[in-house]
Amino acid sequence: MTDNTSRIHGTWSSRWTFILAAAGSAIGLGNLWKFPYVAGANGGGAFVLVYLLCIALVGIPVMIAEIMLGRRGRQSPINAMRRVTSEAGLPRFWNSIGWLGVIGALMILSYYAVVAGWALQHIGAALSGDFQGTNALASSQRFAALLGDASSLVLWQSIFMIMTVAVVIGGVVKGLGVAVRVMMPVLLLLLVLLLIFGYREGNFSAGWSFMFNLDFGALTLHGVLVALGHSFFTLSLGMGAIMAYGAYMPDNARIGSTVLMIGGLDTVVSIMAGLVIFPIVFAHPELQPSEGPGLLFVSLPVAFGNMPAGLFFGALFFILVTLAAWSSAISLLEPGVAWLIESKGMSRVTANLSLGLIAWVLGLGTVLSFNAWEDYRLLGFNFFEFLDFITSSVMLPLTGLFIAVFVGWVMKEYIVREELADDSPWMMGIWYPLVRYLSPILVAVVLVAGIYDVLLR
Ligand code: PHE
């Protein structure tokens, strides 16, 4: 570990801490909230298959590349790119990987805090018995009432933003390790419990077929783009988050096996979340898989309200959703903060407060898109949907494309080999062709076709 980085930001104590932190970043609202509703909105099985293919053929290879860049650059994404590009003797254009990432991260953080705020609100709702004996209709109404109440949305959004800023001020290494170590196992355990509940009380077979029966008629080109974008989103790629964490990764840690583990864990959590939610949805005719962003928050209270000790499990579940969101939000804020500290000489506190404020203000647009601005549309999207589309479906794939092309074609092969020196030889054999040919071609084709599809609507 070299120079500035360890002094300014600290180093992960071990490869294991890195895995936990990266898993903490990857596993979040993307798995528990977003995956089920985008799968539901895009028809289920075929979407899930495309999503899994995107994870394997694009997400995992790009994640390896992104960690490599971060570790090679050993700084915030923007400066890491500067360093790696100058090492390669390249024009400054390539720095845009760092820029796009930091801006995209702030845009995502803005709505992420709003949705995490819903989870926070649901902890209290569970504890005060709001879900007790509730049915699908009452649950939908309860959630609609929350969405209609802008001031309470802003309150919860603000609390979550303060939580995030506070940890990043404390320093990522100190703040994160502990949280993740406790949280992940409990989250998995609870998902298993809910899965058993859904299996016994819900319509499991209908939920299962929805997720795994291939109905390609239900999938649009736009849907394919959403699947691709979501594979970046869920693995925290293309935003500097994983690059920034890579900068803190020990030199001799094996990248390949680490990434496979994180990618595997992340995928398992998403699939489990789907298998928890859809059986409940199909057991209640008033609930639709295509419910949209409210899916998690409408369907699960119905389960909690009708299970033994549901009050306890409900509160615990939304605590875990909040924690998972928290450890991801931290990684959305950290890259920009690290850059402001390194390059602008800002203090950690000022950098955090400035970026936190920007994301908070932008988040107000998302809050309003669920009530006062509901009817304002751009390309058929409301503000939140538009922000989500631009970030997940355009910026992330674009940055991912840059990263793949950069590591595959621009970075000198001997440097790549050096970075992978501790990895098994199959890495170069399988990963390198993927990152050079297949991943960039897939991303480019899906990006162009998907955007075309949206413009034509
Ligand atoms: N991967 C996180 C999730 O699935 C979101 C995230 C995206 C976090 C990008 C950091 C960077 O919820």
Side-chain angles (χ1 to χ4, degrees):
M1 157 97 348
T2 43
D3 53 40
N4 272 339
T5 320
S6 44
R7 195 162 37 78
I8 301 181
H9 311 295
T11 318
W12 302 113
S13 50
S14 64
R15 164 169 177 262
W16 191 232
T17 324
F18 174 79
I19 291 182
L20 286 175
S25 167
I27 297 174
L29 294 175
N31 308 69
L32 302 167
W33 160 74
K34 197 172 178 193
F35 172 73
Y37 96 73
V38 290
N42 287 287
F47 176 91
V48 174
L49 177 71
V50 172
Y51 162 75
L52 292 176
L53 286 174
C54 288
I55 293 275
L57 299 178
V58 181
I60 302 247
V62 169
M63 191 172 197
I64 292 172
E66 190 172 332
I67 291 181
M68 189 181 290
L69 283 181
R71 192 165 75 170
R72 191 75 194 180
R74 282 280 182 231
Q75 286 163 37
S76 70
I78 292 176
N79 288 333
M81 282 318 296
R82 207 163 271 161
R83 173 142 153 195
V84 178
T85 43
S86 71
E87 196 175 79
L90 281 176
R92 297 172 50 130
F93 160 78
W94 289 98
N95 294 342
S96 54
I97 298 182
W99 276 107
L100 265 179
V102 166
I103 294 170
L106 278 186
M107 289 163 72
I108 290 179
L109 180 61
S110 78
Y111 71 75
Y112 211 82
V114 176
V115 177
W118 302 347
L120 270 173
Q121 194 271 350
H122 276 61
I123 301 172
L127 285 177
S128 58
D130 279 7
F131 307 158
Q132 216 75 65
T134 193
N135 58 31
L137 191 63
S139 186
S140 306
Q141 285 167 348
R142 181 193 43 78
F143 189 68
L146 173 66
L147 287 191
D149 182 358
S151 55
S152 119
L153 293 183
V154 171
L155 173 74
W156 293 108
Q157 169 214 13
S158 311
I159 296 177
F160 185 80
M161 199 58 100
I162 291 170
M163 288 163 54
T164 304
V165 166
V167 174
V168 182
I169 286 181
V172 172
V173 178
K174 249 188 297 167
L176 206 63
V178 189
V180 184
R181 219 173 302 228
V182 183
M183 187 190 90
M184 287 297 154
V186 184
L187 180 67
L188 281 179
L189 202 74
L190 197 68
L191 280 176
V192 171
L193 271 179
L194 285 170
L195 208 59
I196 296 173
F197 174 84
Y199 184 75
R200 292 175 45 175
E201 308 289 326
N203 188 344
F204 195 79
S205 62
W208 179 275
S209 359
F210 181 73
M211 272 189 70
F212 298 116
N213 276 2
L214 302 180
D215 171 12
F216 280 98
L219 191 63
T220 58
L221 274 177
H222 176 217
V224 175
L225 177 60
V226 171
L228 177 77
H230 188 64
S231 72
F232 285 104
F233 185 92
T234 193
L235 293 177
S236 303
L237 299 178
M239 258 164 295
I242 286 296
M243 204 187 283
Y245 281 11
Y248 311 145
M249 190 182 186
D251 277 322
N252 55 1
R254 269 172 288 139
I255 299 183
S257 52
T258 309
V259 167
L260 283 180
M261 203 144 134
I262 298 165
L265 205 62
D266 186 83
T267 307
V268 167
V269 172
S270 292
I271 298 291
M272 279 173 82
L275 286 178
V276 165
I277 289 177
F278 289 122
I280 297 170
V281 168
F282 285 108
H284 299 273
E286 305 88 347
L287 297 180
Q288 295 295 328
S290 56
E291 165 83 28
L295 184 65
L296 169 79
F297 296 94
V298 171
S299 64
L300 283 191
V302 179
F304 294 128
N306 296 286
M307 65 162 67
L311 207 126
F312 169 77
F313 285 124
L316 185 61
F317 179 79
F318 286 109
I319 290 174
L320 288 169
V321 175
T322 306
L323 288 177
W326 201 7
S327 60
S328 301
I330 289 165
S331 71
L332 284 165
L333 186 54
E334 171 66 18
V337 166
W339 172 68
L340 284 182
I341 296 174
E342 276 167 18
S343 296
K344 305 284 159 204
M346 263 191 202
S347 73
R348 195 161 251 283
V349 177
T350 321
N352 261 291
L353 293 180
S354 328
L355 295 186
L357 187 69
I358 295 176
W360 181 84
V361 171
L362 194 59
L364 298 178
T366 292
V367 165
L368 292 173
S369 72
F370 291 106
N371 35 70
W373 291 0
E374 213 169 10
D375 298 327
Y376 292 126
R377 302 268 150 183
L378 198 57
L379 291 177
F381 298 119
N382 68 25
F383 184 88
F384 156 70
E385 291 162 348
F386 187 73
L387 207 57
D388 178 42
F389 173 74
I390 287 295
T391 50
S392 307
S393 298
V394 180
M395 290 170 83
L396 300 191
L398 210 55
T399 331
L401 182 66
F402 280 180
I403 290 175
V405 170
F406 186 84
V407 171
W409 294 93
V410 179
M411 216 161 139
K412 301 270 182 301
E413 194 175 326
Y414 81 89
I415 296 185
V416 174
R417 285 188 186 278
E418 227 169 81
E419 285 294 317
L420 291 178
D422 295 301
D423 280 77
S424 69
W426 67 260
M427 276 286 292
M428 265 326 251
I430 298 179
W431 167 78
Y432 206 45
L434 277 180
V435 91
R436 281 169 72 98
Y437 302 102
L438 195 60
S439 318
I441 292 174
L442 277 180
V443 174
V445 170
V446 173
L447 198 56
V448 172
I451 292 178
Y452 187 67
D453 196 31
V454 168
L455 295 180
L456 280 191
R457 306 197 284 193

